Amino acid sequence: NSVMKKITIATTLALCFLLVLSIGASNAATPWKVSGNYFEGCNCDIPCPCNVGGMPTQGFCRVMGNWHIVYGFYGDIKLDGINISLLLDISGDGKATVATYISDNAKPEQVEAIKNIVKMVVGPMTKKDLGTKLVPITFGMSGDTYTWTIPNILEMKSTLVRDMPDVPGIFAPFYNQAKSDVYKYKDYGLEWDFSGKNSGQGRLLLPPAKPSD
């Protein structure tokens, strides 16, 4: 029933969160780290209840998480200056359809490294992988506003909401509460417009560590 589906989604999100937290202590053969700027948009009302253990506003999650890597590596492969958009379309069964977009300045070995990182982070909750595309990605940051553009695919603009508290994050230690002034996506037969809905901004930091690390 619908209640059980919502519980399944919430449980899956919690397990994903715990997975990410455990990555740093895992026995992964290749050491890795990414840090920089992160912001996301989703279809939930503000504030997103998922970040505090609640149910998604609409009973499903359609998240676009954007990574601007300032410093990163996967083994000996440097990942500085690469942008990534990670689509997670989490349906009623609690599993996710995933798509990855990598900025077209990435070299082949960097693309493979990022694929491996994404698999570690979201692999256990992935039902269907739509694939990986190399695309031009533009990230902008001005005061309280973040912008992110993939031509003909994604347009996002996120503005900080200053009178609301921060919440624990998954891809960042904390998300600063924000609003999606624009969140429009069209690709793989999907078309979303969640402008006016929830957004979060924060410091990208994976595997998780203390913000001072």
Side-chain angles (χ1 to χ4, degrees):
N1 58 36
S2 61
V3 173
M4 287 304 298
K5 286 181 178 180
K6 289 182 179 181
I7 292 172
T8 300
I9 293 172
T11 302
T12 301
L13 290 172
L15 289 174
C16 181
F17 177 60
L18 292 174
L19 168 69
V20 174
L21 287 178
S22 68
I23 288 173
S26 71
N27 294 320
T30 305
W32 66 277
K33 181 176 182 178
V34 291
S35 63
N37 302 100
Y38 176 80
F39 88 96
E40 67 176 36
C42 72
N43 59 299
C44 282
D45 294 339
I46 301 170
C48 175
C50 305
N51 291 322
V52 290
M55 304 294 186
T57 303
Q58 300 178 30
F60 57 88
C61 298
R62 291 180 174 170
V63 182
M64 185 69 73
N66 302 311
W67 307 7
H68 173 64
I69 302 175
V70 175
Y71 169 76
F73 63 86
Y74 180 83
D76 295 331
I77 301 170
K78 291 186 177 181
L79 302 175
D80 303 9
I82 296 175
N83 294 324
I84 302 168
S85 287
L86 183 60
L87 174 147
L88 293 171
D89 184 1
I90 308 174
S91 57
D93 60 3
K95 291 290 186 177
T97 296
V98 178
T100 306
Y101 299 89
I102 303 173
S103 55
D104 56 8
N105 62 324
K107 299 177 181 178
E109 63 271 19
Q110 293 173 316
V111 171
E112 291 306 310
I114 291 167
K115 285 182 178 180
N116 288 333
I117 291 173
V118 169
K119 185 176 181 180
M120 283 189 285
V121 173
V122 300
M125 66 183 298
T126 299
K127 173 175 62 176
K128 182 178 181 181
D129 189 346
L130 298 176
T132 301
K133 291 184 178 182
L134 264 68
V135 291
I137 299 178
T138 303
F139 169 63
M141 183 170 58
S142 177
D144 292 345
T145 300
Y146 287 9
T147 57
W148 193 276
T149 304
I150 303 175
N152 303 313
I153 295 176
L154 178 66
E155 182 183 359
M156 296 182 71
K157 179 180 179 182
S158 168
T159 301
L160 189 69
V161 179
R162 287 192 167 271
D163 59 349
M164 298 186 72
D166 301 340
V167 295
I170 295 176
F171 300 111
F174 292 95
Y175 292 161
N176 306 121
Q177 182 62 61
K179 176 183 178 180
S180 290
D181 299 310
V182 180
Y183 174 13
K184 296 181 179 181
Y185 170 79
K186 186 177 181 179
D187 201 12
Y188 293 112
L190 303 172
E191 187 168 358
W192 302 346
D193 185 347
F194 297 121
S195 303
K197 295 294 187 177
N198 182 78
S199 179
Q201 303 174 355
R203 175 189 168 191
L204 173 68
L205 187 59
L206 290 172
K210 294 180 180 179
S212 59
D213 288 356

